[in-house]
Amino acid sequence: MSGRKISPKCQKKNQTEQKDPKRTDSQRTPTQAKSSTRTPGAKAQSAKCDRGARGKSPVRSVMVPNPPAVSGKGAHRKSLEPKRPPGAAESPRGKSPPPHIRRGCSRDDDLSRGLQKTVDQLKIRRDAKSKAAKIKNDVVAKIRTHLEKSRNFKEITLLPTGSYFENLKISNPDEFDVMFTTCVKRVDVKPFGSDGAYYSVTFKRHPQKHVLDDFLSEDDVLCASLMMTEFRREVKTAIKNIQIEGNLKMEPKKPKSPAVTLTLNVDKKEISIDIVLGIEVGGRWPLCAEDGMKIEKWLSKKVKQDLKFKPYYLVPKHEGSANKEEDGVLAKDVWRISFSHVEKFIMKNHGKEKTCCEEKGPKCCRKPCLKLLKHLLGELKAKHETELSKFCSYHTKTTLLHACTVRTEDSDWKLSDLHDCFQLLLQDFVAHLKQRELPNFFIPKHNLLGSVSAESCRKLADYIEKERNNGFPIFSK
């Protein structure tokens, strides 16, 4: 043994560590926890203490939130500096912290619990979901059977789309979207307008008579208005022969809507089924879609390439005056492009890692965040119906898709960070509103807020900011 002297302070410290070397920081006193977390300078100070030398100046320790338990003489830890996940893009604002960094504020904790409670309340009961889906399937199957016997829609195909099939439906299973499509070949698809969202469809010369020939103009343009009128008539005929409880009926035609809306009452609640007419177009996507769907850093280049080999769809919808004419084609006869089937795939396979949100895989909060944003918009629209009538849930969905291409890692969307992730998504949405600019996810030139007034965008942004600053009281109603 050496004749070195050990100071009483160090003797007391060593005795404490030897008595319970595996004691965690949560079990230690603040002084003990602090002494176990030292900078390299503090480690040197400890070495001097063991040699009998007294420290001449205090060394500031670095406190680490929830550090791992350590044991043994002279244990030390390095400061855990939060790092951005590998490959994750910076937030659009540039100054916002990554969502996995917790603020440690009790108000944030209360908001987190409140948001999680709201998400739980938005879940649809399994029995209600099953009953509504059964009724919807019965109605759709009978309409399909009727259409397959008709003159013009005998080659119809069913394409399930919408929030119900993406597991994004909230509160009640009261709305369903179904697309009936027919495939068209050897057609010229030309842009109508400058934003890349609307197209005219012209049939090339075809040797055999096509089932859609009744809807062609003299220039062989497929007229959306004629086809939609006949489709609506066939659906109306079909539901007359459907025997089902709930008083099934067809709603009046909505201006510029590509859907035939059916309603019926189930358990004193109204269920609506939007039956959308669509045409399937194979081949290369339009040029305006070349710069869209920026999912390379999120879902990979291969996934993007595979999705671009899928067909796209056109639905009978126009913007502006129905009698606006361009190159001999009226606006009422043009079609709007749809990638709803691609959106469905992305939302069902939203994780960068393939195990994200699987039964035994890690859970993310992408869908919970979208459900909260949809719910917030729905509640605000109900409260300010006239002012916010132009907004729809598709605006919130597009905002999430853009956010996922910026915050690409699954760790950016940890379920435990629901509060912070939702706050960032709100910042994104409010920024789009203030700029009155929300690019279509697939066609960047198409501004989804172009038909919404600047005043409406400003008011919605103000309403959202007010809710956020006050802890979302609208969710408590």
Side-chain angles (χ1 to χ4, degrees):
M1 293 290 292
S2 173
R4 292 179 297 177
K5 293 183 181 181
I6 300 176
S7 66
K9 181 177 179 181
C10 293
Q11 288 178 349
K12 184 176 181 180
K13 168 182 169 295
N14 293 341
Q15 289 172 359
T16 302
E17 291 182 347
Q18 293 172 3
K19 182 177 180 181
D20 192 0
K22 294 184 179 181
R23 176 183 256 181
T24 64
D25 283 349
S26 61
Q27 296 170 319
R28 297 175 183 174
T29 65
T31 302
Q32 291 171 335
K34 185 175 181 179
S35 67
S36 66
T37 307
R38 293 194 172 112
T39 61
K43 180 179 178 182
Q45 183 75 6
S46 177
K48 289 182 180 180
C49 188
D50 288 343
R51 292 193 299 270
R54 293 183 179 273
K56 294 183 181 181
S57 62
V59 179
R60 183 178 298 174
S61 63
V62 179
M63 298 300 293
V64 182
N66 301 323
V70 297
S71 61
K73 186 174 179 179
H76 69 281
R77 302 182 186 89
K78 294 182 179 180
S79 174
L80 298 180
E81 192 70 24
K83 296 180 180 180
R84 184 177 298 278
E90 188 176 1
S91 167
R93 275 75 48 200
K95 298 182 180 180
S96 299
H100 60 277
I101 299 178
R102 306 298 297 172
R103 272 70 167 178
C105 176
S106 59
R107 182 175 183 270
D108 285 353
D109 292 339
D110 291 340
L111 284 174
S112 295
R113 287 190 289 269
L115 292 177
Q116 186 58 59
K117 181 179 179 181
T118 302
V119 171
D120 293 339
Q121 292 172 344
L122 294 176
K123 292 180 180 178
I124 301 174
R125 294 195 340 267
R126 183 171 296 182
D127 57 338
K129 183 177 181 179
S130 177
K131 184 174 182 179
K134 184 178 182 302
I135 294 173
K136 182 268 302 180
N137 291 338
D138 188 23
V139 171
V140 170
K142 291 178 178 178
I143 293 175
R144 181 179 183 179
T145 299
H146 173 83
L147 291 174
E148 289 173 342
K149 297 176 182 179
S150 67
R151 169 185 169 88
N152 302 112
F153 302 104
K154 59 181 65 177
E155 298 179 1
I156 210 81
T157 301
L158 182 63
L159 182 68
T161 59
S163 60
Y164 176 83
F165 300 99
E166 296 169 350
N167 196 26
L168 291 171
K169 195 75 187 73
I170 59 176
S171 300
N172 297 302
D174 53 1
E175 293 181 355
F176 297 91
D177 299 305
V178 176
M179 185 184 291
F180 280 117
T181 68
T182 184
C183 182
V184 293
K185 299 178 180 179
R186 303 190 64 189
V187 293
D188 282 331
V189 179
K190 298 179 181 179
F192 186 94
S194 59
D195 59 10
Y198 300 92
Y199 295 84
S200 63
V201 178
T202 304
F203 272 63
K204 297 178 181 179
R205 292 182 178 274
H206 47 286
Q208 297 179 347
K209 185 173 176 64
H210 197 278
V211 292
L212 300 181
D213 280 356
D214 288 347
F215 311 123
L216 297 181
S217 68
E218 294 180 356
D219 298 325
D220 287 335
V221 174
L222 183 61
C223 300
S225 60
L226 294 178
M227 191 169 173
M228 186 63 190
T229 300
E230 180 63 16
F231 180 73
R232 186 178 180 84
R233 190 188 69 80
E234 290 288 359
V235 173
K236 186 174 182 179
T237 302
I239 65 173
K240 289 180 179 179
N241 301 319
I242 298 178
Q243 301 298 323
I244 192 171
E245 63 175 339
N247 188 27
L248 179 64
K249 61 181 180 179
M250 179 186 292
E251 292 296 304
K253 187 180 185 305
K254 299 177 183 177
K256 304 178 185 179
S257 174
V260 177
T261 302
L262 307 179
T263 59
L264 68 160
N265 295 310
V266 178
D267 296 335
K268 299 181 179 180
K269 293 182 179 179
E270 185 177 84
I271 291 179
S272 68
I273 306 172
D274 280 348
I275 301 178
V276 180
L277 171 65
I279 56 176
E280 177 185 322
V281 183
R284 188 174 180 177
W285 289 8
L287 290 176
C288 61
E290 287 293 320
D291 297 328
M293 196 173 63
K294 299 180 182 298
I295 60 174
E296 295 91 338
K297 294 182 179 180
W298 169 25
L299 300 179
S300 80
K301 292 181 179 179
K302 183 180 183 305
V303 171
K304 179 174 181 176
Q305 184 179 10
D306 291 344
L307 290 175
K308 284 210 161 189
F309 278 111
K310 292 180 177 291
Y312 61 93
Y313 294 87
L314 297 170
V315 298
K317 180 177 174 64
H318 68 275
E319 192 69 41
S321 172
N323 294 319
K324 177 184 175 182
E325 185 176 339
E326 186 174 308
D327 294 332
V329 180
L330 295 177
K332 66 179 181 179
D333 290 326
V334 302
W335 305 76
R336 189 188 67 184
I337 196 166
S338 170
F339 296 98
S340 58
H341 59 307
V342 178
E343 294 169 10
K344 177 182 174 182
F345 176 89
I346 291 175
M347 295 310 302
K348 295 186 73 172
N349 302 273
H350 57 262
K352 187 165 189 176
E353 298 296 330
K354 303 307 178 187
T355 57
C356 181
C357 290
E358 289 187 355
E359 185 177 356
K360 295 183 180 179
K363 303 297 186 291
C364 79
C365 66
R366 291 178 178 92
K367 286 187 177 182
C369 282
L370 179 54
K371 289 180 179 180
L372 285 171
L373 187 54
K374 285 177 62 176
H375 182 50
L376 177 60
L377 178 60
E379 293 296 304
L380 289 174
K381 284 186 65 176
K383 190 175 180 180
H384 309 280
E385 187 173 355
T386 303
E387 297 171 303
L388 308 181
S389 61
K390 289 281 189 178
F391 295 99
C392 64
S393 61
Y394 191 69
H395 293 133
T396 64
K397 183 180 181 180
T398 302
T399 300
L400 176 74
L401 290 173
H402 284 302
C404 288
T405 64
V406 175
R407 300 183 284 280
T408 59
E409 301 293 328
D410 294 340
S411 57
D412 294 332
W413 300 89
K414 290 166 59 178
L415 186 59
S416 58
D417 295 333
L418 174 64
H419 168 266
D420 296 334
C421 294
F422 181 54
Q423 292 287 356
L424 285 179
L425 189 61
L426 279 178
Q427 289 182 28
D428 293 339
F429 191 43
V430 168
H432 288 306
L433 292 172
K434 289 182 176 180
Q435 297 169 10
R436 195 174 164 239
E437 183 74 26
L438 179 58
N440 185 308
F441 187 67
F442 301 92
I443 306 172
K445 290 196 305 181
H446 180 212
N447 179 17
L448 297 179
L449 296 178
S451 60
V452 184
S453 69
E455 180 67 11
S456 294
C457 289
R458 184 191 64 78
K459 286 186 176 180
L460 178 55
D462 290 344
Y463 293 143
I464 291 175
E465 293 282 15
K466 183 178 179 181
E467 287 294 326
R468 182 167 60 176
N469 293 337
N470 291 279
F472 305 103
I474 201 167
F475 287 164
S476 302
K477 294 181 180 180

